[in-house]
Amino acid sequence: MSRLSEAFSAARAQGRTALVCYAMGGDGDTAALLRAIDAAGADVIELGLPFSDPIADGPVVQAAATRAIAARTTLRDLLSMTSGLRLRAPLVAMGYMNPVESMGSRAFARALREAGLCGAIVPDLPLEEAQPVRDDLAAEGLDLVPLVAPTTPKERAARIARTARGFVYYVSVTGVTGARAALPEDLEARLAELRAVSSVPVAVGFGISRPEQAAALKGKADGVVVGSAVVALHHERGVDAVAGLVRSLRSAL
Amino acid sequence: MKEMPPILSGSTVAPPDARGRFGAYGGRFVPETLIPALDELEGAWNEARGDPRYREELTELLRTYAGRPTPLFRADRLAKALGLAGRVYLKREDLLHTGAHKLNNTLGQALLAKRMGKRRVIAETGAGQHGVATATVCALLGLECIVYMGTEDVRRQSPNVVRMKLLGAEVRSVDAGSRTLKDAMNEAIRDWVTNVRTTYYCIGSAAGPHPYPVMVRELQKIIGEEIAEQIVDAEGRLPDAVVACVGGGSNAIGALHRFVREPSVTLYGVEAAGHGLESGKHGASLAKGRPGVLHGSRSYVLQTEDGQIAEAHSISAGLDYPGVGPELSHLRDQGRLTVLSATDTEALQAFQTLARSEGILCALESAHAIAALPQVRGALIAVNLSGRGDKDLGTVIEALK
Ligand SMILES: Cc1ncc(COP(=O)(O)O)c(C=O)c1O
């Protein structure tokens, strides 16, 4: 079984919903940030690969990517940093298609494996275009985690779930990443539908920032993703504040 | 020619394939949230283009509102001023309502939006011509209009900002990245991801995810079809060469598409060389880019070694873009498209030459096509004059100081 899927089962065996946290690579001291998130109890960590034109991201992640690029972060530097980290939680890369294509998806897959990552999430790579990248990742034993959106019709969601490895990422809101005051009313129903057709765990993300929101999703999904809240808190208040948030999110789940 | 050729005529058996691929280029590289909307759009478009009522309505508006057919003008004094041996004809898209070819596309797309029951229309704009053309058709059809524009373009194309507002559109300035067309398009895509159920995204070039590149081409190909008929009327034969400037590629594919199947016609696309092709400050994606993924499709992209999108530069906002549409990318790889370029300085020079020799103030975008004429081979040349220069007077005054 994939390390990503296992992380969800392990949380479940402890009666918890898994906590997935996102950190932007190269925005400040990423090694310290990843260690802190890991130690505070995240079950899976998404490592954001900075991209100049992140069309699926809201202002918080955009600003972090801009800072990371201004600090001359490169994909290779980021990966060589993570390879020495030895975290408990599995790491999955989250990045856009152009840098993957620029490197070549085979070389990208190899570089991820060598750095100890378990897979990738590529938000601008939908089902119809995904196969070459999925195959190249699979050849290295890595997972391509696909996304399902609120606008995705049922049978399409089932087709996407069939291709999924590691987990499926359900996007909770029609929109870009970033905190939301409220989540859609039909979210629970959509999650139940997706879990019914998916043989891999289902994580829900986009818009979730507070422990109360996470608590409301406990048991409704296999995992809950918190991204922009981590990125913003890290930038404004540093690593210790992030560790506090991660602990309170974990205990809410 | 007094009548325009039938709109949306001819076969589309040519590329793209069912997935929107022109050879290795095109496709759909967008967030999953948008895929169902693109499917819906593709279905609505295929239905509309086969519907005689849609075609009649569009034809009527192109004729009576936009001013089609536009003239083809023999520019002898320009040819002489540039020292050209052959004849040059200018396709006068600058005379189209709102002053550029952009209206061909926005009329077709706004009628489609209305058919689809979408009353909120968004657009990105660089030079502001597409923004103005979108605001115009939204006023005409009673649709809400929001236009995203980079703050740098808001500054240098301010007359068009005023025009959009007068037409009832809301202009949202985008202060990210290079603050130009690329960033405006990012923000428009984010708006669409957020409001996809109610909103029609009117893309202004032959770029973006499938079906936009083919849809925009189908709406713009009237330019080349008119050129073919008009030049045969005037000269009894097809041209040896057709020339157009290339930003995202809509006026170029519009002018060139009719001639792709004519082996005797050489096709030229002129990109912005900015400060020079070796300066790193230009918009020459076809000449200097690498295949990549930007704004929803695979095409030539200006990028760093690490795969970050590079900032483009051009004196003309409409060519200041690090990408280009997939069909032109494919034609380039096939060797069917000859790629040329003109620097900022050369475009400014050509702008003045055209003004003084023929009494036409053209858009700085179109001036790039004029500037490249000395590199074009052939005794009979047609150039697409994609727009007029009113919007650029501030930039030109500043540059000539
Ligand atoms: C007059 C004019 N020509 C050309 C362009 C470039 O766009 P495209 O390459 O899509 O024709 C623009 C874009 O704003 C324009 O306003």
Side-chain angles (χ1 to χ4, degrees):
Chain A
M1 194 154 96
S2 96
R3 271 194 73 201
L4 289 169
S5 301
E6 270 171 20
F8 289 88
S9 335
R12 190 195 183 99
Q14 297 169 12
R16 292 186 297 111
T17 296
L19 173 62
V20 182
C21 290
Y22 173 97
M24 173 59 76
D27 180 29
D29 184 346
T30 306
L33 176 61
L34 295 178
R35 283 202 188 93
I37 292 172
D38 189 53
D43 296 288
V44 174
I45 303 176
E46 291 178 13
L47 176 64
L49 309 179
F51 181 52
S52 52
D53 296 78
I55 53 174
D57 284 301
V60 168
V61 175
Q62 281 176 51
T66 303
R67 289 191 296 268
I69 293 168
R72 305 194 175 280
T73 306
T74 69
L75 182 53
R76 299 218 177 258
D77 295 345
L78 267 184
L79 294 179
S80 74
M81 178 272 296
T82 56
S83 62
L85 280 180
R86 317 234 166 279
L87 304 177
R88 187 190 38 77
L91 268 178
V92 57
M94 181 149 184
Y96 288 83
M97 189 56 191
N98 195 63
V100 175
E101 180 117 337
S102 168
M103 188 179 216
S105 58
R106 269 171 117 166
F108 176 73
R110 198 176 326 119
L112 290 191
R113 181 185 45 76
E114 285 168 4
L117 275 79
C118 300
I121 307 170
V122 185
D124 57 348
L125 187 66
L127 180 64
E128 290 72 13
E129 308 286 356
Q131 195 185 338
V133 177
R134 185 167 56 240
D135 291 350
D136 287 336
L137 286 168
E140 300 288 340
L142 307 184
D143 301 336
L144 179 67
V145 173
L147 297 98
V148 170
T151 51
T152 308
K154 257 190 205 174
E155 32 54 64
R156 181 178 167 85
R159 268 191 292 141
I160 294 173
R162 274 201 293 282
T163 71
R165 292 178 46 128
F167 65 101
V168 186
Y169 193 132
Y170 183 74
V171 175
S172 66
V173 293
T174 47
V176 293
T177 58
R180 301 290 196 288
L183 295 173
E185 280 177 9
D186 65 348
L187 180 57
E188 280 184 25
R190 293 302 311 267
L191 284 169
E193 264 169 39
L194 185 56
R195 288 174 93 187
V197 296
S198 177
S199 57
V200 293
V202 174
V204 55
F206 279 43
I208 303 158
S209 58
R210 288 175 286 115
E212 311 85 83
Q213 288 173 315
L217 289 165
K218 181 177 162 69
K220 309 291 194 298
D222 302 294
V224 169
V225 188
V226 178
S228 296
V230 171
V231 172
L233 199 61
H234 176 235
H235 182 59
E236 286 157 19
R237 311 230 329 262
V239 168
D240 293 343
V242 170
L245 174 67
V246 173
R247 277 191 296 271
S248 59
L249 287 165
R250 172 157 164 151
S251 51
L253 288 168
Chain B
M1 184 185 81
K2 295 201 184 60
E3 279 303 310
M4 45 184 278
I7 188 78
L8 302 176
S9 62
S11 86
T12 46
V13 182
D17 68 12
R19 286 159 67 214
R21 296 290 182 136
F22 300 88
Y25 304 102
R28 281 180 182 170
F29 294 87
V30 292
E32 169 63 21
T33 309
L34 294 180
I35 297 291
L38 291 168
D39 284 339
E40 181 194 0
L41 177 63
E42 188 181 359
W45 164 247
N46 284 330
E47 205 188 292
R49 70 183 303 278
D51 179 351
R53 290 214 325 277
Y54 173 83
R55 290 207 301 263
E56 273 161 32
E57 197 176 355
L58 180 55
T59 302
E60 193 58 15
L61 284 173
L62 286 170
R63 221 167 48 78
T64 61
Y65 183 74
R68 297 218 76 88
T70 57
L72 187 73
F73 172 69
R74 198 173 107 188
D76 289 345
R77 285 176 45 82
L78 173 70
K80 188 151 175 258
L82 292 174
L84 306 178
R87 283 189 179 168
V88 174
Y89 280 83
L90 302 178
K91 179 59 172 166
R92 299 291 309 274
E93 292 299 295
D94 61 314
L95 293 177
L96 200 68
H97 180 40
T98 72
H101 68 291
K102 299 286 181 185
L103 195 68
N104 298 322
N105 171 40
T106 59
L107 273 172
Q109 288 204 52
L111 286 177
L112 185 62
K114 218 172 159 176
R115 269 175 87 96
M116 294 172 72
K118 312 252 180 195
R119 307 208 59 87
R120 180 177 185 270
V121 175
I122 59 171
E124 82 294 334
T125 198
Q129 288 300 128
H130 174 61
V132 166
T134 307
T136 297
V137 296
C138 286
L140 177 71
L141 300 177
L143 303 168
E144 180 189 352
C145 180
I146 293 158
V147 180
Y148 290 92
M149 189 170 187
T151 49
E152 166 64 11
D153 292 337
V154 166
R155 183 189 67 73
R156 62 180 162 169
Q157 306 279 253
S158 59
N160 274 344
V161 177
V162 178
R163 289 165 82 197
M164 286 184 265
K165 288 182 178 164
L166 288 171
L167 290 161
E170 180 190 336
V171 180
R172 294 190 183 163
S173 35
V174 179
D175 197 28
S178 53
R179 299 172 175 82
T180 57
L181 179 56
K182 162 178 91 77
D183 311 283
M185 194 148 176
N186 289 338
E187 212 49 41
I189 293 173
R190 292 184 188 114
D191 180 317
W192 203 31
V193 172
T194 307
N195 302 297
V196 62
R197 292 191 174 95
T198 58
T199 297
Y200 184 94
Y201 180 19
C202 183
I203 292 185
S205 196
H210 179 62
Y212 285 101
V214 63
M215 178 168 70
V216 176
R217 176 194 80 197
E218 289 299 299
L219 291 168
Q220 291 289 5
K221 73 180 186 187
I222 185 84
I223 301 172
E225 289 172 351
E226 287 180 7
I227 292 175
E229 289 197 12
Q230 289 167 320
I231 209 156
V232 168
D233 277 356
E235 298 280 343
R237 69 178 184 98
L238 291 177
D240 301 316
V242 183
V243 187
C245 67
V246 177
S250 70
N251 92 88
I253 200 67
L256 301 177
H257 188 258
R258 164 65 183 81
F259 303 100
V260 171
R261 63 176 184 270
E262 307 288 353
S264 68
V265 183
T266 311
L267 312 181
Y268 290 92
V270 185
E271 298 189 302
H275 295 329
L277 284 185
E278 304 310 322
S279 68
K281 286 183 176 298
H282 56 74
S285 324
L286 289 169
K288 290 285 173 184
R290 285 189 287 135
V293 171
L294 177 64
H295 294 149
S297 61
R298 182 180 280 121
S299 67
Y300 275 88
V301 178
L302 295 176
Q303 53 185 309
T304 67
E305 217 176 296
D306 207 32
Q308 305 294 347
I309 307 301
E311 292 191 5
H313 165 82
S314 171
I315 191 170
S316 71
L319 307 187
D320 195 349
Y321 181 63
V324 60
E327 189 162 10
L328 290 179
S329 298
H330 179 55
L331 290 172
R332 171 212 187 271
D333 278 11
Q334 287 189 312
R336 185 67 187 93
L337 179 74
T338 304
V339 178
L340 301 175
S341 67
T343 64
D344 289 355
T345 311
E346 289 162 348
L348 267 170
Q349 185 65 48
F351 173 92
Q352 295 172 82
T353 305
L354 179 64
R356 289 186 192 162
S357 61
E358 302 287 4
I360 298 171
L361 291 168
C362 72
L364 283 175
E365 290 80 9
S366 323
H368 285 73
I370 303 292
L373 284 176
Q375 299 172 65
V376 170
R377 284 208 299 258
L380 188 57
I381 299 168
V383 190
N384 192 26
L385 207 66
S386 57
R388 71 178 183 222
D390 312 41
K391 69 186 176 62
D392 293 318
L393 294 186
T395 304
V396 171
I397 291 165
E398 194 60 35
L400 295 181
K401 259 185 195 163

